[in-house]
Amino acid sequence: GNLSISSSRYVGALALRGNRCILVRSLEGEWDGMRIPVVERLSNESSQDAAIRAITTFADVDPEAVKILPKVLPVPLYAPNGRPVLVHLYPLYAADPPPDGVLEDADMEDEDDYYDWYTYANASKRLAYDPASLAALQIMSLSLVSASKAGLIPNKWGGVLGQELCLD
């Protein structure tokens, strides 16, 4: 099918903290499984503001909890979950470090929370049901590894999402 003409109005957010990203769940049963948060951009809203609204709306976090990565470009997310839309997926970065302790402690899923943190490998498994979202995760991960090598995003808190991927 054809993508809708208003397709550029959709914006998604991949919030990052080191080598992990946020995926969201619906506690109200609106959908099954985990997703990349996406919103329709408001007419008076910048794409970056829409990305922050996507993560604050679906993950129930404060806008101050994430920051824009101004020099890292968005990547396309084509027809996520079968919806005929084109999404501009923006990377955001956590303002605060992970909790003290072993980083792997963050990998425990909490079915009663709106979001969880995932490494690339775990996020890939959770998005495997939707090839479009999985492809966007892969594209974003390769972009992040390249951006990190160029010094545009920090390599800390476990590294960079997708660092397991080979860039030859």
Side-chain angles (χ1 to χ4, degrees):
N2 292 339
L3 292 178
S4 69
I5 295 188
S6 65
S7 59
S8 63
R9 297 188 51 82
Y10 288 87
V11 175
L14 199 64
L16 309 163
R17 188 174 69 193
N19 66 335
R20 287 167 172 77
C21 67
I22 283 180
L23 298 178
V24 297
R25 68 174 55 83
S26 171
L27 297 182
E28 291 77 35
E30 295 172 58
W31 69 83
D32 292 329
M34 302 304 288
R35 286 190 175 181
I36 295 170
V38 172
V39 295
E40 189 168 1
R41 186 173 54 83
L42 305 174
S43 58
N44 61 347
E45 187 177 41
S46 73
S47 294
Q48 288 89 345
D49 286 344
I52 290 174
R53 183 167 56 86
I55 199 70
T56 57
T57 299
F58 289 102
D60 194 32
V61 297
D62 292 329
E64 298 77 36
V66 291
K67 56 188 181 188
I68 299 289
L69 292 167
K71 295 180 178 152
V72 185
L73 299 175
V75 301
L77 169 51
Y78 299 108
N81 307 297
R83 293 173 61 203
V85 296
L86 165 62
V87 178
H88 295 193
L89 180 59
Y90 282 81
L92 304 174
Y93 210 86
D96 297 318
D100 289 339
V102 185
L103 284 173
E104 286 69 30
D105 289 349
D107 296 339
M108 296 298 293
E109 291 183 303
D110 181 357
E111 297 292 334
D112 296 323
D113 203 350
Y114 286 102
Y115 71 93
D116 279 312
W117 290 98
Y118 293 92
T119 61
Y120 174 81
N122 291 336
S124 296
K125 289 177 192 147
R126 294 308 302 246
L127 294 175
Y129 72 92
D130 181 36
S133 294
L134 180 56
L137 176 73
Q138 292 167 337
I139 296 165
M140 178 65 81
S141 295
L142 291 172
S143 175
L144 293 169
V145 171
S146 295
S148 174
K149 288 181 179 178
L152 297 177
I153 59 172
N155 185 337
K156 61 181 181 182
W157 302 336
V160 179
L161 184 75
Q163 63 195 357
E164 311 84 322
L165 300 172
C166 247
L167 284 183
D168 294 332

